[in-house]
Amino acid sequence: MPKIHPAIELAAVLSAEAWSGEDISPPAPHLIAADAVTLLQIGARVKRWAERACNGIERYDAKARRVLASWTEADEAAKDKADARHRTQANLIAARYGATATIGGDPRGFVLRLVLASGRTNTTDHDGWGVA
């Protein structure tokens, strides 16, 4: 069985969710595809922030004369601000399908998830549909 591209799989899930909702009219197919791609892009940004928080950001330390990886309070504030912006963007899209978006902090798994009205999941912990 061929591997399905994540954007195609997510578009199919969003399409199924759009048609299952009673109080929302389904978007056009090209809009569903665009939403899937946008959610994957948002997820990639969220994942990069989570990886930076985990690994630190490399900075040159003049006293030690070497590059050190660190994570400062300013970095944490910037990550929190970016997470809030990304959550808002993802929730605007998810609302079209009767879903909500959540952001987690562990980059080893899905950091952006959609909690679908149908309860559909692609994760072992059944905590929503993992996007990225």
Side-chain angles (χ1 to χ4, degrees), residues 19-76:
W19 285 101
S20 67
E22 296 174 9
D23 57 338
I24 56 175
S25 60
H30 70 282
L31 296 177
I32 295 172
D35 285 345
V37 169
T38 303
L39 283 169
L40 287 169
Q41 291 170 342
I42 293 168
R45 287 186 221 120
V46 171
K47 193 168 193 83
R48 277 193 299 274
W49 273 105
E51 288 170 352
R52 287 182 196 141
C54 185
N55 298 330
I57 297 175
E58 291 186 354
R59 295 184 171 91
Y60 182 74
D61 184 356
K63 289 183 182 179
R65 292 186 167 178
R66 62 184 178 148
V67 175
L68 301 174
S70 65
W71 187 254
T72 65
E73 289 182 20
D75 296 330
E76 189 65 32

Side-chain angles (χ1 to χ4, degrees), residues 45-130:
R45 287 186 221 120
V46 171
K47 193 168 193 83
R48 277 193 299 274
W49 273 105
E51 288 170 352
R52 287 182 196 141
C54 185
N55 298 330
I57 297 175
E58 291 186 354
R59 295 184 171 91
Y60 182 74
D61 184 356
K63 289 183 182 179
R65 292 186 167 178
R66 62 184 178 148
V67 175
L68 301 174
S70 65
W71 187 254
T72 65
E73 289 182 20
D75 296 330
E76 189 65 32
K79 180 187 179 303
D80 290 343
K81 186 177 177 180
D83 281 352
R85 184 178 65 249
H86 294 134
R87 187 179 301 106
T88 300
Q89 292 170 344
N91 272 317
L92 286 172
I93 295 170
R96 295 181 198 143
Y97 305 94
T100 59
T102 62
I103 292 178
D106 190 350
R108 295 174 294 179
F110 292 109
V111 291
L112 178 62
R113 294 176 189 225
L114 297 179
V115 179
L116 303 170
S118 66
R120 184 177 301 185
T121 183
N122 65 345
T123 63
T124 56
D125 58 4
H126 305 289
D127 194 22
W129 188 270

